[in-house]
Amino acid sequence: MGCSLDQLLKSIMEILWFSVVNRAQYNVTIHWHGVRQLRTGWADGPEFVTQCPIRPGGKYTYRFTIQGQEGTLWWHAHSSWLRATVYGALIIHPRQGSSYPFPQPKRETPIILGEWWNANPIDVVREATRTGGAPNVSDAYTINGQPGDLYNCSAQDTVIVPIDSGETNLLRVINAAMNQPLFFTVANHKLTVVGADASYVKPFTTTVLMLGPGQTTDVLISGDQQSSRYYMAARAYQSAQNAAFDNTTTTAILEYKSAPCAAKNCSGSKPIMPPLPAYNDTATVTAFSNSFRSRDKVLVPTDIDENLFFAVGLGLNNCPPNFNKASQCQGPNGTRFTASMNNVSFQLPSTFSLLQAHQLRVPGVFTTDFPAKPPVQFDYTGNVSRSLWQPVPGTKVYKLKYGSRVQLVLQDTSIVTPENHPIHLHGYDFYIIAEGFGNFNPQTDTSKFNLVDPPLRNTVGVPVNGWAVIRFVADNPGVWLMHCHLDVHITWGLAMAFLVENGVGELQSLESPPADLPPC
C-alpha cells in the first residue's frame, strides 16, 4: 500500500487509493466492508461480482471515496475463504477540527474477533464443497490474532489492552469471524455503546455485546474498577439447533497500568473471568439488538417504490445420479447442503464479473428476474414441506431504478434449521426499522416500525425464526451483492445482487472501469 492506513484515515482527504499486490498462491480480491463508496463499484471487491480476481503475481489499485461516515469499518478478502486470515480494521476519525459526540477517550483500541483453523481454510471449504457436507468447525477464536491463554498453545501471547484508573477508553469491536456470531464482554466492567457500522447511536450501557460476522460496535469503557487484570472474552452465540460449532472461548486481558504485576511476570496472577451468556441465549441477543437507535431523528424513506420480501435460509439438494453418494453427498440423509434467497441459490459467474457484464452488455452472464417475493408462500417458521427444501440454482439480480425507495422484509425460514443470519448489503447503509419473531405479518407488524430514529447499519442480524425490515434509497448505481456473512452460507448460495440503474447525468452514473481492472 502506498501509505499507512492510519495516515490515510486520519487525514482530511476523502479519496483513498489502496494498491494491492497478490504475492499469495490463491486468487484474491479485497472488500472495504461498509464503505459507502458512491459510483465506484469497481472498487467494492467481491470476486466475480464487481471484479475478476487479482491473480497470483498481479496487482490492482482500489480507488474510492468515504463520505458522511465516522467510526469503525473493516476490510477483508472476498475470495473463497481467504477472509479467515486476510482482514483488518478501517477506522474513520472525525474531520480535523471536529470531535466525537461523546467525551474524548484517553486511548482507542481495535478489538478484532477472528476465527482460526489448524488447517488451511481453503482446504476446509474445498473439502466441504466436494462432499456436500458441513465444513469442519474452527479450532479457536481470536482477539487481534491471538487465541488467548485459555487455549494450550498461546499462554505467552495473550493480547494485553491497557487502561488506567479514572480514564475512559474507546474499544472498536469488529467481528471478523467466518461463521459465528459472537458474544463479547469484559469482567466487572460496563460497556457504553456509542456507535455501530460507522454510525453514531444513542448511547446505552450493557455488560455484553453480540456481533454477527461483519458487524462493528464502538464502546466506551471506564477504568472505574480495582486496579487489577480482567479478562475480555468472546464465545459463540449459536442459534442453529443440532449444528456443530466451535464452543471454545477466546480472551484478551484488560490490564490496569497500576496493577501489582502489570508489565511484569503475571503468570501467577490469573485475571478475573467474566460470566458469558449461554450459547443459545437469544433473549440477550434480542435485548441488545433492540437497544440500538440513531443518535438523532433521521429521514427514513416513507413513500415506498419497491416493497420486497426475501425468505432466507438453508436447503438440501438431492444427490445427483452421477455422484458417489457415500463420499460426495454427506449432508443429512445422503444430500448436499445448499442455501437460498427466495428459493434461488446464488451461483457466481466464472468468465465475467456481474458488473463488467452489465457495463459491457455481455449476454448470458446473469438474468434480471430475481423474484420480489418467494415463488411459493408457506409457513416460513413452521413445519415446511420437504418439497420446498431444494432451491433452484441461478445467477439472478433484481433491478432497481436510481432513486427508488426500497423496503425489504428479510424472513428467516425453518428449512433444515432456523438460524440468526447476518445479512450484509454492499454499497449501502440501511435503516433497520423493525425486528420480530415468527412470520412477518404486514397487517399487524407495521405497528412496530420505528420511523423516527432507527439505527443505520450495513449488516443486520435476521433473528432466528424471525424477521427484520430494512429501508434504503437506491442512490448508488452499479451491481451490489447482498449475502449472509456466515461464509459457509454464501458458499452454499445464500446471496443475491441488486442492479441499480444509472440516474440522470454523470453524478448519478457508474464511473467507467479503471484501466488496471484485473482481466478474467
Side-chain angles (χ1 to χ4, degrees):
M1 298 194 180
C3 57
S4 75
L5 194 63
D6 187 63
Q7 287 173 321
L8 280 168
L9 297 176
K10 285 186 177 179
S11 74
I12 62 171
M13 296 182 64
E14 292 182 337
I15 302 173
L16 282 76
W17 289 34
F18 292 98
S19 293
V20 177
V21 180
N22 184 5
R23 296 196 176 101
Q25 60 179 310
Y26 303 109
N27 296 336
V28 73
T29 63
I30 301 296
H31 170 52
W32 315 95
H33 185 110
V35 170
R36 182 88 161 92
Q37 50 171 292
L38 297 176
R39 304 173 51 240
T40 55
W42 308 106
D44 188 46
E47 186 177 56
F48 289 113
V49 176
T50 60
Q51 68 167 99
C52 291
I54 308 169
R55 310 291 180 182
K59 63 181 179 180
Y60 178 45
T61 298
Y62 291 88
R63 307 166 180 87
F64 56 90
T65 61
I66 293 180
Q67 300 181 24
Q69 294 178 291
E70 290 182 12
T72 305
L73 297 174
W74 62 302
W75 58 270
H76 60 79
H78 214 299
S79 301
S80 185
W81 275 24
L82 290 181
R83 182 168 74 80
T85 55
V86 182
Y87 59 81
L90 200 162
I91 297 168
I92 309 166
H93 292 275
R95 281 185 176 275
Q96 190 171 8
S98 300
S99 61
Y100 296 116
F102 46 80
Q104 180 73 27
K106 178 73 173 181
R107 72 181 77 235
E108 302 178 12
T109 306
I111 303 291
I112 309 179
L113 310 178
E115 197 167 5
W116 175 263
W117 279 261
N118 290 333
N120 182 340
I122 301 297
D123 292 339
V124 173
V125 68
R126 283 178 175 174
E127 176 66 7
T129 301
R130 184 188 71 82
T131 66
N136 292 339
V137 300
S138 56
D139 295 289
Y141 301 112
T142 60
I143 296 178
N144 291 358
Q146 297 294 340
D149 58 13
L150 299 188
Y151 298 91
N152 293 331
C153 61
S154 59
Q156 302 304 313
D157 299 310
T158 302
V159 169
I160 304 293
V161 178
I163 196 169
D164 207 359
S165 295
E167 71 183 25
T168 297
N169 294 341
L170 178 63
L171 304 180
R172 299 180 178 274
V173 188
I174 301 166
N175 186 354
M178 289 291 288
N179 293 316
Q180 196 64 58
L182 293 169
F183 290 114
F184 174 82
T185 190
V186 183
N188 291 16
H189 288 73
K190 293 182 178 179
L191 304 171
T192 299
V193 177
V194 293
D197 292 358
S199 182
Y200 295 122
V201 301
K202 283 186 173 69
F204 66 93
T205 301
T206 181
T207 57
V208 63
L209 313 179
M210 198 292 288
L211 296 90
Q215 292 184 321
T216 73
T217 306
D218 293 344
V219 299
L220 298 175
I221 185 169
S222 296
D224 56 5
Q225 297 298 306
Q226 181 179 347
S227 184
S228 187
R229 307 170 81 233
Y230 301 86
Y231 272 129
M232 299 175 159
R235 76 175 185 188
Y237 164 52
Q238 178 65 5
S239 60
Q241 296 181 2
N242 302 317
F245 69 101
D246 180 349
N247 64 0
T248 61
T249 301
T250 181
T251 55
I253 298 172
L254 183 72
E255 183 176 271
Y256 281 70
K257 289 184 286 184
S258 55
C261 72
K264 302 175 184 176
N265 182 3
C266 295
S267 58
S269 172
K270 204 71 172 173
I272 298 168
M273 188 70 187
L276 280 154
Y279 297 114
N280 62 349
D281 190 350
T282 295
T284 291
V285 174
T286 303
F288 178 68
S289 180
N290 289 342
S291 297
F292 284 87
R293 298 283 187 276
S294 284
R295 190 173 182 91
D296 302 303
K297 183 177 179 180
V298 294
L299 294 175
V300 183
T302 51
D303 296 326
I304 301 301
D305 303 302
E306 296 277 357
N307 211 325
L308 308 177
F309 187 106
F310 290 179
V312 303
L314 305 185
L316 297 174
N317 279 333
N318 294 330
C319 194
N322 58 335
F323 270 50
N324 182 328
K325 190 170 184 178
S327 64
Q328 294 180 299
C329 295
Q330 295 183 15
N333 300 315
T335 60
R336 295 177 63 85
F337 275 110
T338 184
S340 68
M341 292 187 177
N342 280 359
N343 205 47
V344 179
S345 186
F346 188 71
Q347 307 291 299
L348 286 170
S350 59
T351 56
F352 279 91
S353 74
L354 297 178
L355 190 58
Q356 287 172 298
H358 164 59
Q359 182 81 345
L360 299 175
R361 295 181 171 83
V362 178
V365 177
F366 65 86
T367 60
T368 57
D369 57 344
F370 186 88
K373 61 183 180 181
V376 177
Q377 295 187 40
F378 57 96
D379 181 2
Y380 306 106
T381 55
N383 187 13
V384 183
S385 168
R386 290 298 291 258
S387 65
L388 298 172
W389 283 40
Q390 185 163 332
V392 178
T395 307
K396 299 174 183 290
V397 304
Y398 190 88
K399 191 179 288 188
L400 293 171
K401 291 187 179 298
Y402 183 92
S404 58
R405 293 154 294 193
V406 182
Q407 175 175 294
L408 171 57
V409 177
L410 293 161
Q411 173 71 61
D412 186 30
T413 74
S414 58
I415 297 176
V416 182
T417 179
E419 189 167 0
N420 182 292
H421 294 280
I423 302 296
H424 171 50
L425 175 58
H426 288 229
Y428 285 89
D429 289 325
F430 49 75
Y431 291 110
I432 305 174
I433 62 171
E435 298 177 6
F437 292 98
N439 298 334
F440 176 75
N441 186 329
Q443 277 70 50
T444 59
D445 288 330
T446 52
S447 64
K448 304 173 185 176
F449 285 5
N450 176 5
L451 302 179
V452 177
D453 58 355
L456 188 66
R457 305 296 299 260
N458 62 59
T459 305
V460 55
V462 179
V464 55
N465 247 336
W467 50 267
V469 183
I470 66 173
R471 288 186 182 180
F472 64 96
V473 176
D475 59 358
N476 195 4
V479 178
W480 302 102
L481 187 66
M482 189 173 76
H483 64 94
C484 182
H485 224 278
L486 306 178
D487 269 37
V488 62
H489 290 179
I490 189 175
T491 301
W492 290 338
L494 212 170
M496 59 81 64
F498 287 108
L499 192 166
V500 181
E501 298 177 317
N502 287 338
V504 178
E506 180 182 359
L507 296 182
Q508 294 183 2
S509 300
L510 177 69
E511 291 186 359
S512 298
D516 62 340
L517 189 71
C520 291

